[in-house]
Amino acid sequence: GAVAVDAQNAPALEGRWQGTLIPRVQGGSRDLAARANRPRLPTEVVITTAGDGTHSGTWASLSQNGITEISKITVDGDTVRISVANWGGDWEGTLSSDGWTLDGKWTQAGLTSPLVLKKTSKE
């Protein structure tokens, strides 16, 4: 069933978050050469918080003109998990004590890449 969330003690996730995803490439002899030329994918996440403390939002890959609904956002202490089922990806990380940085990793197609998101505004 649903878990009741104490909205007063929940992290302040609501807002616009931005970061740059640099996808990890498959390992191997060409990995070193590929690292310098990896794409940099500007990413924007917009999170809204309902009155009951549940979170929802959108995940956008700005350079690819792609935007999709976030499937699920869960919070456990300062650990935040975001599932983007439409793209087969998940992000997991930690909310900074000041509430302005989400430091984590994006996992998609079996590859995990660092993705730090900085809050740019409260929505």
Side-chain angles (χ1 to χ4, degrees), residues 21-27 31 38 88-90 105-114:
L21 176 65
I22 303 173
R24 198 175 140 250
V25 293
Q26 290 286 6
D31 187 41
R38 291 194 321 213
D90 293 289
K105 297 184 182 320
W106 171 255
T107 302
Q108 186 178 29
L111 297 176
T112 300
S113 306

Side-chain angles (χ1 to χ4, degrees), residues 66-89:
I67 186 168
T68 191
E69 293 292 318
I70 291 172
S71 314
K72 185 176 182 183
I73 299 173
T74 57
V75 179
D76 182 9
D78 62 356
T79 299
V80 178
R81 293 177 186 89
I82 301 174
S83 176
V84 186
N86 289 343
W87 292 348

Side-chain angles (χ1 to χ4, degrees), residues 17-103:
W17 300 82
Q18 293 182 331
T20 301
L21 176 65
I22 303 173
R24 198 175 140 250
V25 293
Q26 290 286 6
S29 59
R30 285 178 279 188
D31 187 41
L32 212 54
R35 258 184 237 160
N37 299 319
R38 291 194 321 213
R40 299 176 64 80
L41 306 175
T43 301
E44 183 174 82
V45 179
V46 177
I47 298 174
T48 56
T49 306
D52 65 359
T54 59
H55 304 290
S56 61
T58 57
W59 189 283
S61 179
L62 301 177
S63 63
Q64 297 173 314
N65 294 321
I67 186 168
T68 191
E69 293 292 318
I70 291 172
S71 314
K72 185 176 182 183
I73 299 173
T74 57
V75 179
D76 182 9
D78 62 356
T79 299
V80 178
R81 293 177 186 89
I82 301 174
S83 176
V84 186
N86 289 343
W87 292 348
D90 293 289
W91 182 93
E92 181 174 336
T94 306
L95 179 67
S96 63
S97 59
D98 68 4
W100 287 89
T101 304
L102 286 166
D103 187 351

